[in-house]
C-alpha cells in the first residue's frame, strides 16, 4: 500500500524520445494522481478527455486559473516529461510560487518541446522563481515566447533575466553589489519574444534588463503599463542605440563573446590581461545594436524620455515596430521623431496614438510632411486621438501622394478634423497607390463626411485589389526563393489569441482591420489569407 503512494519514476531519455498518444498521457496522469493521493486538475482532466474523444494531438494547453502548486504541480510536471506534442502552454493566474516554478522549469527542460509559455499574473513568483525561469530561458532550445506580465520584477529578478538573455550559464551568483561569474562566455538563446506588461518595472531594474536585451537575440519586447517615467530616456536610448555592426571573419569566438557582468548591467568588455578575448574587429567599448524588431512601451508616462528614444532610433536599422500609445507625449517630444523618420532606414510601423502631439499647432505635421517623403520603409503610421485638426490633416495630406510604401494610416478619434480636412485627405489619397487602410472618424448623421469616408474606402479597396493581383503574379518567385523574413505588425490592445498558419506563436487583434502579432510570423501571406477567410465566415477576428 505504501508503495502505491510513491510518485512514479521515469526514464527521461526514453520519455522524450517516444511519442505518446493523449490516451496514454491521460492514463499516466490518472495513475500519478492516484499514487500521490490527489484529485486530477479539473481543467486538465477535461482537456485530456476531450482530446481523447476527438483523437487529436494536444499541441496547445490552457490551464488559466487552475491552482498549480504543491502536489498538483508535481503531478502536472510529470506529464511535461512526456513527449506528446505540446508546443503552447498557458499557465496564467495559476498561483504558481517559487517552488512550483522550480519543478516546472526542470520538467520543461527534460522534454523541451514548448515554444510558447505564459506565466502571466502569477503574483507569488519572487526572485527565486524568476531565477528558475531564467534557467529555463538560458537552456531551452525551443522556447520562443515567454509572457511574465503581472509578475513583479525588481533589480535582482532583472539581473537573472538579463544574464539569461545574454546567454550566461548557471555558474554565477550575486555578491555584495555585484554579480560574479567564473565563465565569461555566452551562447545564443532560443527566446525571441518577451512580454513584461504590468511588472512594476522601475528605471533601475530596466537598466539591468536593458544590458541583457542588447546582448541577446531577442526580437520582440513588450513593456506596457510599467513604472517607466521621463528619467528612463537614457536607458531606452542605450537599448536601441549602437554603431552599425562591423564586418568580421566567421569564427568560433564570434559565437561565444566575452562579457563583463555587474549589478548595473552586462556589456561587451575586453579583459586587459587577455588582449585576444574579443572577436576580431571589435572595439572593446563599442556599443552593440540590439536585435529588437518590435518594442511596445504603451501606457508608460515617458514624457520627455521620447527625446532620448528618438535619438536611439536614428541609426538603429533593426527595429521595425515601435508602439508609444498613451505615453503622455507632447508636441516637443514628438518633434525628434519627425527628424528620425527622415533619417531612419528600418522603422516600418510607428504608433503614437492617444498622445496630444499633433495639435493645436500644425508645426509638427508641417515638418512631418516635409521629411516623411525621404523615408522609404514606413508602412504604418497610427495617429489616433492625437488632437489633430483640419489644418493638421491638410498639412499631412500634402505629402501622401509622394509616399509609395505607406499602407496604413490611422487618424481616427480626432474630432478636430472636419469636412475641410476630410476633403484634403480624400483628394490626396486618390493620388496614392499604396494605402490599403485609412481610418477616420465621422460624426453620425453627417452625409457629406460619410460620402468622403466612402470615397477614401473605395480608393483603399482598389489599391488592395491591385496589390493582391501583383502578389499573385509574384507568388511563383516567392516559392522559388523561400518565404519572406519574419515580420511583426503591432497595433491596438490585446485580443483573443489564435493559432493560425504561418505563425509559430502569436496574438492577433482584428479591430477595424488592425492586427497585432507578438511573436514569430513566418508567412505573412498565409496569415492574411487565414484572417480574410475567417472574417468572411464568422465576421470576427
Amino acid at each position: 500500500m505504501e508503495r502505491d503512494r510513491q510518485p512514479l519514476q521515469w526514464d527521461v531519455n526514453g520519455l522524450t524520445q517516444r511519442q505518446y498518444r493523449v490516451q496514454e498521457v491521460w492514463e499516466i496522469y490518472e495513475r500519478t494522481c492516484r499514487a500521490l493521493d490527489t484529485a486530477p486538475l479539473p481543467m486538465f482532466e477535461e482537456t485530456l478527455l476531450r482530446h481523447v474523444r476527438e483523437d487529436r494531438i494536444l499541441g496547445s494547453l490552457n490551464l488559466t486559473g487552475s491552482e498549480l502548486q504543491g502536489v498538483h504541480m508535481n503531478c502536472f510536471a510529470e506529464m511535461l516529461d512526456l513527449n506528446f506534442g505540446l508546443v503552447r502552454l498557458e499557465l496564467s493566474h495559476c498561483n504558481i510560487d517559487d517552488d512550483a516554478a522550480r519543478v516546472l522549469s526542470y520538467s520543461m527542460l527534460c522534454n523541451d518541446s514548448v515554444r510558447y509559455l505564459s506565466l502571466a499574473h502569477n503574483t507569488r513568483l519572487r526572485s527565486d522563481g524568476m531565477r528558475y525561469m531564467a534557467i529555463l530561458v538560458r537552456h531551452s532550445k525551443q522556447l520562443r515566447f515567454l509572457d511574465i506580465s503581472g509578475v513583479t520584477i525588481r533589480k535582482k529578478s532583472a539581473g537573472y533575466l538579463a544574464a539569461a538573455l545574454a546567454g550566461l550559464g548557471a555558474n554565477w551568483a550575486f555578491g555584495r553589489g555585484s554579480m560574479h561569474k567564473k565563465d565569461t562566455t555566452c551562447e545564443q538563446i532560443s527566446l525571441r519574444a518577451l512580454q513584461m506588461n504590468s511588472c512594476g518595472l522601475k528605471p533601475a531594474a530596466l537598466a539591468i534588463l536593458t544590458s541583457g536585451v542588447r546582448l541577446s537575440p531577442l526580437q520582440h519586447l513588450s513593456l506596457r503599463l510599467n513604472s517607466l517615467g521621463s528619467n528612463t530616456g537614457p536607458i531606452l536610448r542605450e537599448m536601441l542605440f549602437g554603431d552599425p555592426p562591423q564586418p568580421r571573419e566567421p569564427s568560433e569566438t564570434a559565437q561565444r563573446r566575452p562579457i563583463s557582468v555587474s549589478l548595473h548591467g552586462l556589456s561587451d568588455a575586453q579583459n586587459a590581461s587577455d588582449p585576444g578575448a574579443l572577436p576580431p574587429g571589435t572595439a572593446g567599448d563599442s556599443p552593440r545594436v540590439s536585435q529588437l524588431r518590435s518594442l511596445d512601451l504603451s501606457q508608460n508616462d515617458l514624457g520627455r524620455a521620447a527625446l532620448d528614444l528618438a535619438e536611439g532610433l536614428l541609426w538603429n536599422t533593426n527595429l521595425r515596430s515601435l508602439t508609444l500609445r498613451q505615453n503622455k507625449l507632447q508636441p516637443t517630444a514628438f518633434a525628434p521623431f519627425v527628424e528620425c523618420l527622415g533619417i531612419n532606414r528600418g522603422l516600418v510601423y510607428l504608433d503614437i496614438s492617444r498622445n496630444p502631439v499633433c495639435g493645436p499647432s500644425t508645426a509638427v505635421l508641417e515638418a512631418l510632411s516635409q521629411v516623411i517623403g525621404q523615408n522609404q520603409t514606413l508602412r504604418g503610421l497610427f495617429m489616433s486621438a492625437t488632437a489633430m485638426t483640419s489644418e493638421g490633416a491638410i498639412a499631412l495630406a500634402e505629402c501622401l501622394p509622394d509616399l509609395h510604401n505607406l499602407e496604413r494610416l490611422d487618424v481616427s478619434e480626432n474630432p478636430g478634423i472636419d469636412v475641410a480636412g476630410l476633403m484634403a485627405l480624400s483628394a490626396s489619397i486618390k493620388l496614392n497607390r499604396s494605402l490599403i487602410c485609412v481610418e477616420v472618424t465621422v460624426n453620425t448623421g453627417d452625409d457629406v463626411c460619410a460620402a468622403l469616408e466612402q470615397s477614401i474606402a473605395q480608393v483603399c479597396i482598389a489599391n488592395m485589389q491591385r496589390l493582391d493581383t501583383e502578389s499573385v503574379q509574384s507568388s511563383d518567385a516567392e516559392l522559388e526563393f523561400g518565404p519572406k523574413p519574419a515580420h511583426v505588425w503591432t497595433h491596438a490592445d490585446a485580443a483573443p489569441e489564435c493559432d493560425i498558419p504561418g505563425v509559430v506563436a502569436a496574438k492577433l487583434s482584428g479591430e477595424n482591420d488592425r492586427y497585432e502579432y507578438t511573436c514569430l510570423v513566418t508567412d505573412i501571406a498565409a496569415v492574411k489569407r487565414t484572417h480574410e477567410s475567417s472574417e468572411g465566415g464568422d465576421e470576427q477576428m
Side-chain angles (χ1 to χ4, degrees):
M1 180 67 178
E2 191 65 27
R3 184 181 61 183
D4 294 339
R5 298 174 61 87
Q6 298 300 319
L8 301 179
Q9 302 296 321
W10 309 114
D11 176 6
V12 173
N13 292 330
L15 292 171
T16 56
Q17 292 174 2
R18 176 186 169 189
Q19 180 72 36
Y20 282 74
R21 296 183 296 109
V22 179
Q23 175 70 38
E24 297 175 293
V25 175
W26 161 244
E27 294 172 355
I28 296 173
Y29 179 63
E30 189 179 31
R31 290 202 306 267
T32 303
C33 291
R34 189 164 53 247
L36 294 177
D37 195 19
T38 186
L41 286 169
M43 190 174 294
F44 189 33
E45 179 182 21
E46 178 185 351
T47 301
L48 286 173
L49 291 177
R50 184 173 69 252
H51 281 74
V52 168
R53 291 193 300 269
E54 298 173 358
D55 194 23
R56 292 193 295 120
I57 294 177
L58 183 57
S60 178
L61 179 59
N62 188 345
L63 297 181
T64 298
S66 301
E67 288 288 329
L68 275 174
Q69 52 182 318
V71 66
H72 285 297
M73 176 57 82
N74 291 336
C75 293
F76 175 70
E78 295 280 0
M79 301 307 102
L80 294 180
D81 291 341
L82 306 176
N83 181 13
F84 55 91
L86 184 65
V87 295
R88 183 186 182 102
L89 180 59
E90 299 187 47
L91 303 178
S92 303
H93 296 279
C94 287
N95 207 22
I96 295 174
D97 56 16
D98 292 350
D99 188 60
R102 174 183 59 82
V103 176
L104 178 67
S105 63
Y106 174 78
S107 296
M108 289 186 64
L109 286 173
C110 285
N111 189 15
D112 196 18
S113 66
V114 174
R115 298 184 179 183
Y116 178 107
L117 174 63
S118 174
L119 296 173
H121 304 290
N122 285 287
T123 56
R124 296 184 64 188
L125 283 174
R126 298 293 185 264
S127 59
D128 283 345
M130 294 313 303
R131 178 163 66 92
Y132 297 126
M133 290 301 102
I135 292 173
L136 174 63
V137 169
R138 168 62 185 87
H139 294 285
S140 174
K141 303 301 182 184
Q142 297 296 327
L143 189 63
R144 299 290 189 272
F145 182 99
L146 176 63
D147 185 358
I148 53 174
S149 300
V151 178
T152 302
I153 302 296
R154 300 294 184 234
K155 290 196 295 184
K156 194 171 184 179
S157 298
Y160 290 136
L161 287 173
L165 291 174
L168 286 172
N171 189 21
W172 55 275
F174 277 95
R176 188 176 179 83
S178 63
M179 188 165 61
H180 306 285
K181 184 166 189 305
K182 297 179 181 179
D183 181 10
T184 58
T185 58
C186 59
E187 296 177 349
Q188 196 172 82
I189 61 173
S190 64
L191 192 70
R192 294 296 181 269
L194 178 60
Q195 196 155 303
M196 299 177 62
N197 304 329
S198 303
C199 287
L201 201 63
K202 296 182 178 180
L206 178 64
I208 298 173
L209 182 68
T210 291
S211 54
V213 170
R214 288 181 59 226
L215 294 172
S216 76
L218 198 67
Q219 296 181 355
H220 314 297
L221 178 62
S222 179
L223 299 174
R224 296 183 184 181
L225 283 168
N226 280 286
S227 304
L228 305 180
S230 57
N231 57 342
T232 59
I235 303 172
L236 296 174
R237 179 181 61 206
E238 180 188 354
M239 181 185 294
L240 298 178
F241 181 79
D243 295 332
Q246 301 180 9
R248 63 182 63 172
E249 296 296 328
S251 65
E252 181 179 354
T253 57
Q255 299 297 324
R256 297 175 60 84
R257 56 183 185 275
I259 63 174
S260 65
V261 188
S262 70
L263 191 57
H264 300 289
L266 317 177
S267 63
D268 290 316
Q270 183 168 4
N271 192 326
S273 62
D274 184 9
L278 286 175
T282 302
D285 58 352
S286 63
R288 293 179 54 86
V289 182
S290 75
Q291 301 303 306
L292 285 179
R293 298 294 185 267
S294 69
L295 177 62
D296 190 345
L297 297 170
S298 299
Q299 295 175 277
N300 289 286
D301 296 342
L302 296 182
R304 294 186 62 82
L307 300 173
D308 297 289
L309 186 61
E311 183 180 346
L313 280 173
L314 284 177
W315 306 111
N316 184 306
T317 59
N318 292 328
L319 194 70
R320 297 292 184 265
S321 174
L322 178 61
T323 306
L324 299 173
R325 294 172 62 88
Q326 202 170 336
N327 288 129
K328 295 187 177 180
L329 304 182
Q330 300 298 324
T332 54
F334 179 60
F337 279 97
V338 174
E339 178 186 359
C340 170
L341 292 177
I343 299 175
N344 182 275
R345 293 295 181 266
L347 200 63
V348 177
Y349 294 96
L350 176 62
D351 189 345
I352 55 170
S353 298
R354 304 196 177 280
N355 293 288
V357 296
C358 296
S361 172
T362 63
V364 171
L365 286 172
E366 289 174 355
L368 178 65
S369 65
Q370 294 176 5
V371 304
I372 197 173
Q374 305 169 21
N375 188 293
Q376 300 300 317
T377 60
L378 193 67
R379 294 172 58 188
L381 183 58
F382 304 96
M383 298 187 292
S384 173
T386 53
M388 188 182 300
T389 63
S390 282
E391 290 77 8
I394 293 171
L396 179 63
E398 292 178 358
C399 68
L400 291 181
D402 299 327
L403 299 181
H404 306 298
N405 296 300
L406 191 67
E407 296 179 352
R408 297 177 180 272
L409 176 65
D410 184 0
V411 293
S412 61
E413 300 183 47
N414 286 296
I417 301 178
D418 56 18
V419 176
L422 286 176
M423 289 180 64
L425 289 173
S426 176
S428 178
I429 289 171
K430 289 178 180 179
L431 303 177
N432 182 287
R433 293 173 56 83
S434 63
L435 279 168
I436 60 175
C437 180
V438 177
E439 298 187 39
V440 295
T441 300
V442 176
N443 295 327
T444 304
D446 192 331
D447 296 338
V448 176
C449 290
L452 292 171
E453 181 187 27
Q454 287 296 319
S455 174
I456 293 173
Q458 290 173 2
V459 173
C460 292
I461 292 173
N463 286 342
M464 181 179 292
Q465 291 174 342
R466 178 179 52 79
L467 291 173
D468 284 345
T469 302
E470 295 175 357
S471 177
V472 170
Q473 293 174 351
S474 62
S475 61
D476 292 340
E478 289 186 10
L479 291 175
E480 179 180 355
F481 294 104
K484 295 181 179 180
H487 185 64
V488 173
W489 294 352
T490 62
H491 191 267
D493 296 324
E497 298 160 2
C498 62
D499 296 317
I500 48 182
V503 183
V504 175
K507 286 185 178 180
L508 168 67
S509 66
E511 179 186 356
N512 298 329
D513 295 328
R514 296 179 295 192
Y515 309 88
E516 177 186 26
Y517 297 104
T518 57
C519 200
L520 303 180
V521 181
T522 57
D523 187 352
I524 197 68
V527 172
K528 287 182 178 179
R529 288 193 298 270
T530 304
H531 179 73
E532 291 168 357
S533 62
S534 63
E535 197 173 41
D538 52 20
E539 298 184 357
Q540 65 180 359
M541 193 59 67

